[in-house]
Amino acid sequence: MNKREYHGAKRFVLTSIAMAVMAVANQAAAQEAMARVEVTGSSIKRMASEEALPVTTIKAEEFTQRGMTTLADVMMALPQSASLAPSNAGSGTNINLRGLGVNRTLVLLNGRRLANEAIADGYANLDTIPFSALSRVEILRDGASSIYGSDAIGGVVNFITKREFEGTQITGQVVRPERSGGGDERRATLTFGKGSLGKDGWAAYATIDFHDRSRLASKDRIEYSSDALLASIGRAPTLGSGGNAMPANFTTATNKTAQNPYAGSCAAPYSKIGAKNTCILDSNEYGTALHENQQIGFYASAIKQISEDHTFRIEYARGQSHILAARNPTNAVAVNGVNAILPSSSKWYPGNSGGVPAVAGLKGEPLTVTWSVADLGIAVQKDKQVNQRLAFVDEGKWGNWDYRAGMVIGLSDRENYYDRGFVTGQGLLDGLKNGVLNPFGLQDSAGREYLKTISVDGQKNRDSRSTYKGIDLTVSRSLMELEGGAMALAIGGDLHRDTTRDDKLAIQNSVTYLNSTSSHGDGARNVAAIYAELDIPVTKKLTFNVAARDDYFSDFGNTFNPKASFRYEPSKQIMFRGSANTGFRAPTLFDAYGYRLPGATGKSSGRWDDPVLCPGGTPGVANTGKPLPGYVQSEVCNVQLPKQVGSNPNLKPEESRGFTLGTVIEPMKNLTVSFDYWNIRMKDMLANLPEQVYFLDPAKYASLFVRNPDGTLAYFVNTTMNLGGQKAAGIDVSASYQFPRSSYGDFRMQLDGTYLTQFDNQLFPGEEWVSNIGRFGNASNGTTSSFPIITYRWKHTLRFNWSKGDWSASATQNYNSQYEDQNLVAKEYWRDINSYKPWNLTVGYKGFRNVNITAGITNVFDTAPPVTNHSGYSFGYLSSAASPIGRSFNLKASYTF
């Protein structure tokens, strides 16, 4: 029997079992003593208190109480999440449960999928989910491949909207940092609805939500990235030399050592003095701590009670977000192998009539300049995303069966624009050649007018779309009575189609500064699945649940994934639970069918020494090598090197196995404590190699360095690959205590934390396993970000709540344990990253009629973000895991009428 026949047989057996159980069910009487609901992690309706699987629930009202203003705040605070702060990610906010990668966390809206973010097409951008429509968020901290899809390896995050709303509510919120600069936030929400399903038999409501945040420049928080701080951790910026700056550095055909006509003075604030009498760009002048962004969400829902046991609902969601990503000014770079040349005929040639100081030794030879066009200011790209979803949901009873059917149509569009500060590369070279542009200073009126003629500001440079269209049907019912209650069965199936299209437009060929060229990628797949779930309450104390799912991918064949769990409650004071499952993840449509270009498609995030052209240094430690004769140090040493990313046609799916084992205890009245051990094993993991791997052992990965005929580096290959594997394990800890009621009010304490016991990565099969716990190991985020995955040994959220009458207050601590730094610097600078433990405080009052007011302080003690010497971070702090804003104040008011 071949593999396809084997999997087909599995599917046939699964279907046969389900049909046989259905036949038995027709002879059984279903008795339901209490109302039941569907909970995340199961297709069977049950009492919500029956927690057989570890689920974390965050109610919408808790967002404000805990100082959260966006879903990014929610995801960053989750102890089970290794999500990155979205400030520098054009893809928006995504969630990474267990640190396994955003492509392995399944995001649902009301139990069904959305169309994925349009470029990578492997995850949902949470910024497009309407914030004001949410009732709660449920996080299933356990693989659910047998219920929701084979790719739910790390867990499931289910965003659940309000079912109905009567009246009108207006909400306004402002967030103001204590220190000057940007980073302030505004939110305005309008929600209106009419009807009640229970009273009127119908209900409809809609909500509109607007949120924006202003740009926070690096110079507004200079203390986090000052030259003094960087020098103290072994990353002094002045160690660099040459490179693009204003005034420009230059070399000649006979002298490859970078020089500058303004050596020793440069031109503040655009540049500062670098090594060997050169100028270097002042990153703090142009750097961005938090990018400007804006989100507009709309959600509408209408539900009709057709009969006592039958409802029909329509919902439409539209989320729009955009990020204005600021970067260094446009640089003059080589076009088709021709460098940026300043001829001696230009009046801006050193010593000529333009006033640029003469340089000793120059004899009129052409100058190759490395120039940053300061006149254009920061270069800003606008990344706009729009996600729309239309869903039809029909629920009811058919005989003794509960059924739930749905159809979803989802569209995700992403467009990129040159917002401001961009010009054509050839235009810059021509302007240097004809003498109109001055690379050594700000432009005169003729130069400024010329820059306008070669501007591409406002033009679209990329257009991408992904779609999701699916139908599903699940039926469930009670079967024969057992000692513990009625055995329940659910069976179902779904069919969906995913598509992706990604076009880098032709204009990219002209804007050479970004080192990107036009391309096209598209792909599609159909996925069909059947699944079954059986709940077996053996006794009042012991329940088993078994489930299985068979998925068929039109491009990768069948996969069969079972799951089993149990719940044992020997007494009211203690309960045991556990589960085991398998998972399967096909390459994303982008990884398999995205753009493929023969050359470099970007630059490395970190700075490195070219292992061939700048040899002799400490492996992985930039600026320790020496350039070979004839090569410019600023071009081959301590530099961002060209790399190739994109799709890989040779990928195969990855597979996983996981299990959980936990207990929930109530050692005393009002105190509940839970411990859940989780363990996940993956093989053939789909990811990109972390950059440092190439440069710590360049001989081993020499085949991934592609060189031009003259020996210069064309690029290193950093496309998605099938790596070896990953082993992750840890313990989730939760505790909740309700203090006895007193005249001072009601007090409650809650703790949610995760302790990692293992997080090992294997780069290729047969190689050693490397731990990533509390250190920068070999874990990679894949294509979503150049930042590494952060795997804290311990991470927790601690909350203290108080309420009395119309008043309430909440104090929340988000804690990340210390971390071993990357330490690819001189040994005397090796260090640990300090723990990060900011506190948030909010106070609420609802004593005014129809008005709720909440005031708060975020980061009460003004805790600074942790300092890091990791080469992937442009500035000196851990920007992917901590906020640079500092202490800020927020005020929120809602009026309902």
Side-chain angles (χ1 to χ4, degrees):
M1 181 182 293
N2 61 36
K3 185 175 181 180
R4 185 176 295 272
E5 290 172 337
Y6 174 67
H7 285 299
K10 279 186 176 180
R11 184 166 55 175
F12 176 76
V13 170
L14 175 62
T15 306
S16 300
I17 292 174
M19 293 181 66
V21 177
M22 288 174 63
V24 175
N26 288 330
Q27 307 300 319
Q31 298 180 359
E32 297 188 90
M34 301 180 69
R36 297 179 297 166
V37 297
E38 186 172 327
V39 296
T40 300
S42 174
S43 294
I44 294 174
K45 291 187 176 182
R46 64 186 76 212
M47 296 304 298
S49 59
E50 298 178 6
E51 297 180 2
L53 297 174
V55 176
T56 297
T57 300
I58 305 176
K59 296 181 180 179
E61 53 265 31
E62 291 184 56
F63 298 159
T64 302
Q65 294 171 1
R66 293 163 61 174
M68 298 170 173
T69 58
T70 65
L71 288 180
D73 297 332
V74 178
M75 298 303 105
M76 290 290 292
L78 279 176
Q80 300 81 24
S81 169
S83 301
L84 301 178
S87 59
N88 294 307
S91 57
T93 298
N94 42 60
I95 180 165
N96 182 358
L97 288 180
R98 307 301 189 195
L100 301 179
V102 297
N103 296 329
R104 302 175 186 93
T105 300
L106 179 58
V107 173
L108 305 174
L109 181 63
N110 292 329
R112 290 181 170 86
R113 296 181 185 238
L114 304 93
N116 284 325
E117 178 276 326
I119 291 180
D121 194 53
Y123 52 89
N125 175 11
L126 306 189
D127 291 340
T128 61
I129 295 177
F131 192 75
S132 60
L134 297 180
S135 170
R136 65 187 185 278
V137 181
E138 293 182 351
I139 301 97
L140 176 62
R141 311 186 310 268
D142 178 36
S145 302
S146 60
I147 302 298
Y148 296 111
S150 60
D151 54 344
I153 294 173
V156 178
V157 180
N158 190 9
F159 293 92
I160 300 172
T161 60
K162 301 178 180 72
R163 188 170 177 85
E164 58 186 53
F165 182 90
E166 283 194 278
T168 302
Q169 184 181 77
I170 300 174
T171 300
Q173 184 176 21
V174 292
V175 178
R176 297 288 186 188
E178 181 180 49
R179 277 171 280 179
S180 62
D184 53 297
E185 300 178 56
R186 298 175 298 169
R187 165 164 265 116
T189 299
L190 172 63
T191 305
F192 50 94
K194 191 172 183 180
S196 169
L197 197 63
K199 294 185 299 181
D200 306 315
W202 63 275
Y205 80 96
T207 182
I208 303 170
D209 189 306
F210 169 86
H211 173 270
D212 72 351
R213 183 186 66 202
S214 64
R215 175 178 178 256
L216 180 69
S218 297
K219 59 186 178 184
D220 294 329
R221 297 292 183 270
I222 191 66
E223 63 272 26
Y224 299 155
S225 54
S226 66
D227 288 356
L229 183 144
L230 292 173
S232 72
I233 58 175
R235 294 181 58 195
T238 52
L239 293 175
S241 65
N244 292 81
M246 197 294 291
N249 301 295
F250 69 86
T251 59
T252 68
T254 57
N255 185 358
K256 294 297 184 180
T257 300
Q259 303 177 70
N260 197 291
Y262 293 93
S265 60
C266 299
Y270 313 111
S271 63
K272 53 191 174 184
I273 300 172
K276 299 181 180 179
N277 296 316
T278 61
C279 294
I280 59 173
L281 206 66
D282 188 344
S283 296
N284 281 317
E285 175 64 21
Y286 301 106
T288 299
L290 291 173
H291 288 307
E292 175 185 349
N293 68 25
Q294 184 184 95
Q295 299 157 21
I296 303 174
F298 174 79
Y299 177 84
S301 171
I303 185 169
K304 172 67 175 175
Q305 188 87 44
I306 297 175
S307 66
E308 181 180 357
D309 298 318
H310 185 193
T311 62
F312 183 77
R313 183 176 62 176
I314 301 175
E315 61 178 38
Y316 171 72
R318 185 188 190 278
Q320 176 179 308
S321 72
H322 74 242
I323 294 177
L324 293 176
R327 56 173 69 234
N328 290 337
T330 294
N331 294 333
V333 298
V335 177
N336 297 324
V338 178
N339 290 320
I341 301 294
L342 183 73
S344 59
S345 57
S346 171
K347 69 176 182 178
W348 306 114
Y349 193 92
N352 282 2
S353 61
V356 178
V359 176
L362 286 184
K363 300 176 181 178
E365 58 267 55
L367 308 182
T368 298
V369 295
T370 48
W371 175 36
S372 178
V373 191
D375 308 78
L376 298 173
I378 56 174
V380 178
Q381 287 184 286
K382 182 177 181 178
D383 193 315
K384 177 183 175 182
Q385 293 189 51
V386 177
N387 191 299
Q388 300 180 80
R389 195 185 82 148
L390 180 63
F392 303 90
V393 181
D394 190 76
E395 297 183 75
K397 292 184 70 70
W398 181 56
N400 292 323
W401 292 88
D402 293 314
Y403 73 87
R404 187 170 188 257
M407 180 174 71
V408 171
I409 302 171
L411 301 176
S412 177
D413 292 294
R414 185 172 175 182
E415 299 172 333
N416 287 262
Y417 296 85
Y418 300 122
D419 191 71
R420 60 184 183 272
F422 288 97
V423 294
T424 64
Q426 187 61 53
L428 286 179
L429 269 58
D430 292 343
L432 290 170
K433 184 178 179 180
N434 62 30
V436 70
L437 293 180
N438 175 16
F440 299 118
L442 297 177
Q443 306 305 308
D444 59 13
S445 59
R448 291 192 296 270
E449 288 302 314
Y450 178 79
L451 287 175
K452 292 179 182 178
T453 68
I454 61 172
S455 171
V456 295
D457 289 352
Q459 295 192 39
K460 183 193 293 189
N461 61 71
R462 192 169 189 174
D463 187 280
S464 309
R465 166 172 281 195
S466 67
T467 69
Y468 174 89
K469 299 175 183 177
I471 56 174
D472 62 84
L473 172 65
T474 301
V475 295
S476 63
R477 64 159 295 170
S478 298
L479 304 178
M480 75 277 290
E481 287 292 324
L482 300 178
E483 181 183 337
M487 181 187 296
L489 168 73
I491 59 173
D494 64 62
L495 174 67
H496 70 262
R497 178 173 175 81
D498 295 314
T499 71
T500 185
R501 173 191 55 77
D502 178 31
D503 287 303
K504 290 185 176 183
L505 306 181
I507 188 67
Q508 295 204 23
N509 299 328
S510 300
V511 185
T512 50
Y513 157 55
L514 295 178
N515 196 35
S516 183
T517 56
S518 61
S519 65
H520 172 79
D522 65 78
R525 69 165 55 112
N526 298 324
V527 182
I530 58 171
Y531 50 89
E533 180 184 1
L534 191 63
D535 199 59
I536 311 169
V538 180
T539 68
K540 296 289 185 181
K541 298 179 179 180
L542 177 64
T543 298
F544 290 103
N545 183 282
V546 292
R549 181 184 183 95
D550 190 280
D551 290 90
Y552 174 76
F553 292 79
S554 59
D555 50 353
F556 286 97
N558 275 84
T559 175
F560 180 83
N561 293 283
K563 180 172 184 174
S565 63
F566 77 93
R567 182 184 186 275
Y568 177 55
E569 187 176 8
S571 72
K572 292 184 177 180
Q573 286 73 41
I574 188 167
M575 183 263 282
F576 299 97
R577 61 189 177 195
S579 67
N581 63 82
T582 65
F584 170 101
R585 189 174 75 87
T588 68
L589 292 178
F590 173 85
D591 288 342
Y593 310 112
Y595 68 83
R596 296 169 193 161
L597 294 172
T601 54
K603 295 281 189 180
S604 62
S605 59
R607 293 180 177 272
W608 309 99
D609 291 348
D610 184 317
V612 172
L613 303 182
C614 185
T618 303
V621 182
N623 212 40
T624 57
K626 299 290 185 182
L628 293 179
Y631 290 95
V632 181
Q633 180 172 350
S634 61
E635 295 178 357
V636 296
C637 304
N638 193 30
V639 66
Q640 290 178 293
L641 295 171
K643 71 176 180 180
Q644 182 188 69
V645 297
S647 66
N648 182 345
N650 302 313
L651 297 176
K652 60 182 179 180
E654 62 185 19
E655 298 179 357
S656 70
R657 293 178 291 111
F659 70 90
T660 66
L661 186 62
T663 182
V664 181
I665 58 176
E666 189 176 344
M668 57 184 289
K669 185 178 180 180
N670 297 331
L671 173 63
T672 303
V673 182
S674 68
F675 301 91
D676 288 283
Y677 174 77
W678 53 273
N679 188 297
I680 300 171
R681 297 288 185 266
M682 297 168 56
K683 66 177 183 179
D684 297 324
M685 188 175 68
L686 293 159
N688 301 71
L689 280 174
E691 284 186 7
Q692 70 268 19
V693 168
Y694 295 83
F695 301 97
L696 286 171
D697 194 351
K700 180 177 180 180
Y701 299 100
S703 63
L704 298 178
F705 288 86
V706 179
R707 297 194 173 272
N708 298 312
D710 63 358
T712 57
L713 180 65
Y715 58 88
F716 62 93
V717 180
N718 197 224
T719 57
T720 303
M721 307 174 189
N722 280 109
L723 303 183
Q726 190 161 258
K727 300 176 182 178
I731 301 171
D732 290 339
V733 180
S734 180
S736 176
Y737 180 64
Q738 181 75 47
F739 290 84
R741 178 165 292 181
S742 71
S743 59
Y744 298 103
D746 295 330
F747 295 85
R748 187 182 185 189
M749 182 275 292
Q750 291 177 280
L751 171 71
D752 289 295
T754 294
Y755 181 85
L756 280 184
T757 60
Q758 185 179 41
F759 202 101
D760 295 345
N761 286 83
Q762 182 189 55
L763 293 182
F764 292 101
E767 295 187 357
E768 66 176 339
W769 292 87
V770 177
S771 176
N772 208 88
I773 295 181
R775 62 188 295 266
F776 295 112
N778 289 336
S780 170
N781 266 300
T783 59
T784 62
S785 173
S786 59
F787 288 135
I789 290 176
I790 308 295
T791 48
Y792 295 105
R793 171 72 76 175
W794 170 254
K795 182 176 181 180
H796 77 235
T797 298
L798 177 65
R799 302 188 298 280
F800 295 94
N801 298 322
W802 166 82
S803 63
K804 183 181 181 181
D806 294 326
W807 290 92
S808 63
S810 178
T812 305
Q813 183 197 55
N814 298 315
Y815 179 89
N816 300 331
S817 60
Q818 73 173 28
Y819 214 75
E820 180 184 321
D821 217 339
Q822 186 186 45
N823 294 331
L824 293 181
V825 291
K827 196 166 186 177
E828 61 265 31
Y829 296 107
W830 287 10
R831 59 187 303 279
D832 287 335
I833 299 171
N834 292 333
S835 60
Y836 183 59
K837 40 186 178 292
W839 282 88
N840 300 334
L841 176 67
T842 61
V843 177
Y845 181 70
K846 56 181 181 180
F848 300 117
R849 184 180 179 183
N850 298 333
V851 176
N852 279 351
I853 300 175
T854 304
I857 305 175
T858 302
N859 196 351
V860 175
F861 301 106
D862 201 23
T863 303
V867 174
T868 179
N869 60 31
H870 192 288
S871 57
Y873 292 87
S874 301
F875 305 103
Y877 62 92
L878 204 64
S879 58
S880 67
S883 171
I885 290 179
R887 185 186 294 116
S888 61
F889 307 96
N890 67 77
L891 178 65
K892 180 180 180 181
S894 297
Y895 180 74
T896 303
F897 54 92

